[in-house]
Amino acid sequence: MPSKQTVLQVGATGYTGLMIAKALVTSEQLAVKALVRPTSLSKPETKQLEALGVEIIPGDIVTSTAQDLEKALQGIDIVICTVLAFVDQKPLLLAAKRAGVKRVVPSDFGPRIPRGVFVMQDLKLATRDFIIENNIPHTFIQVGWWTNFMFPYPHGVKSSPFEDNGKEFIGAGNVKVAHTAYQSLGEFVKRIVVDPRTLNKTVQAYDGEITLEEGWALGTKVSGENFDDYPKVSAEELESRIGRSTLDALVYGYAKSLYVRGDNTVENAVKDGALDARELYPDYQPPSIEELAKEFYKNPPTFTYDASELPV
C-alpha cells in the first residue's frame, strides 16, 4: 500500500472544518493534522478532533510569523483551509509554497457565483487569483447551497441568528439550485484532494439540483406543516434589503444569486471549467432529497456563530 499523504486542516474547529475532518480520518490515503490557535486548544471542538485521531498542531495564521507557518507546514502534502473569507490566507499560502506543499485548498466551499455579484465570493475569487499568480499547486472546491436551506424551517424553530432565514420564500421559486448535504461535503473532499485529475482544477461538489418551490413542497409533505403564512419576498424587495447595510448585503446577497439570478447550477459551473464531482466519483451515492428532508425535520439544526471566531 502506498504511503499516506499528510493533510493539514486550518479552521478545523469550525462547522465546515469539523464536517470535513470527520470524513478525512476515514480515508486510508490520508493522515490528518489540524492547525489550532493556542486559545482554542481547550475547546470542545478541538477535543472532538483529537478523539477522531487528528493530530493537533498549535498555530495561528493571523499572528504567526512567516517562519513559524513554514515550520508548521514541513512534511505536509495537502493544506485545506476553512477560515472565514475575510481572513487573509496569503501568508499561509506563500508559506505552503515555500514548504513544498503539493496542493492547497483555500477557503471556498460555497456556491458557484460569478465575479462582481457578491462581495464574499469576490474575496474568495481574489484568493484564487493570488494562488494562480504565484504558481501554487491547488484545487478549488465549490459546493452547492446547503440542502437544509432549501426547506422551510418549522414554525417553532429559530433557524439562525437571523430570525427570517429559512422562513421566507424568495423570488419566483422556479430557479434551479445545486445543493449539497452536510455529510456529502467531507465525502467529496476526501476523494478530491488525493485525485491527480483535480490538481490545479476547480471542482463542483454537489448532490443534485432542486428549486425552492420543490424544496418547500417536499418540506410541507414531510413535516405536515402548512407554510403558506410565511412571507414571499420579491426580487425587488430583496434588492432593497441588500442596500440597507453591509450585514444585509451578506445575508441577502446569497439569496439574490441563488434564487433570483440562478448562478448556482451545475451547468454554469461546468461552463466555467469546473469538473463535475458526481461524474468523477460515481462510487459515492449521496442521500436522496427525501431522506435529507426527513432527517432535517426530525431535528432541525440551529446555528449560533461567535463573531470572534475565525473558522467557518
Side-chain angles (χ1 to χ4, degrees), residues 152-156 166-169 216 220 225-233:
Y153 264 74
H155 289 78
K167 294 187 175 183
E168 293 184 327
F169 190 88
W216 280 50
T220 298
E225 291 191 38
N226 186 322
F227 301 105
D228 288 346
D229 58 315
Y230 282 1
K232 291 180 171 55
V233 181

Side-chain angles (χ1 to χ4, degrees), residues 61 97 114-115 118 123 141 156 159 237 311:
I61 69 169
K97 181 179 180 179
R115 204 179 299 267
F118 184 43
L123 290 172
I141 302 177
S159 61
E237 167 64 15

Side-chain angles (χ1 to χ4, degrees), residues 23-174:
L24 294 181
V25 296
T26 67
S27 172
E28 296 181 354
Q29 301 178 63
L30 294 170
V32 186
K33 299 182 179 184
L35 189 74
V36 177
R37 287 172 299 165
T39 55
S40 296
L41 292 176
S42 61
K43 287 178 60 175
E45 292 82 1
T46 303
K47 300 306 179 185
Q48 284 187 56
L49 290 170
E50 291 177 318
L52 290 170
V54 176
E55 180 182 346
I56 304 300
I57 309 296
D60 188 335
I61 69 169
V62 175
T63 61
S64 295
T65 65
Q67 292 77 14
D68 286 341
L69 287 175
E70 189 173 341
K71 182 179 179 181
L73 291 167
Q74 293 300 315
I76 299 298
D77 298 297
I78 304 161
V79 171
I80 300 174
C81 197
T82 53
V83 298
L84 290 173
F86 301 105
V87 178
D88 185 7
Q89 299 170 68
K90 296 184 183 70
L92 174 71
L93 297 168
L94 290 176
K97 181 179 180 179
R98 290 193 298 268
V101 171
K102 299 171 186 174
R103 184 190 310 233
V104 300
V105 181
S107 188
D108 207 324
F109 305 105
R112 178 267 176 195
I113 303 175
R115 204 179 299 267
V117 172
F118 184 43
V119 62
M120 189 176 293
Q121 180 69 1
D122 286 350
L123 290 172
K124 294 178 180 181
L125 294 176
T127 299
R128 293 190 191 185
D129 292 341
F130 179 83
I131 289 170
I132 293 169
E133 290 164 3
N134 285 276
N135 298 309
I136 301 172
H138 62 272
T139 301
F140 303 141
I141 302 177
Q142 56 195 31
V143 300
W145 194 224
W146 301 123
T147 307
N148 282 356
F149 294 160
M150 299 303 295
F151 306 129
Y153 264 74
H155 289 78
V157 178
K158 183 175 181 179
S159 61
S160 78
F162 308 99
E163 182 63 55
D164 54 1
N165 244 19
K167 294 187 175 183
E168 293 184 327
F169 190 88
I170 308 294
N174 59 355

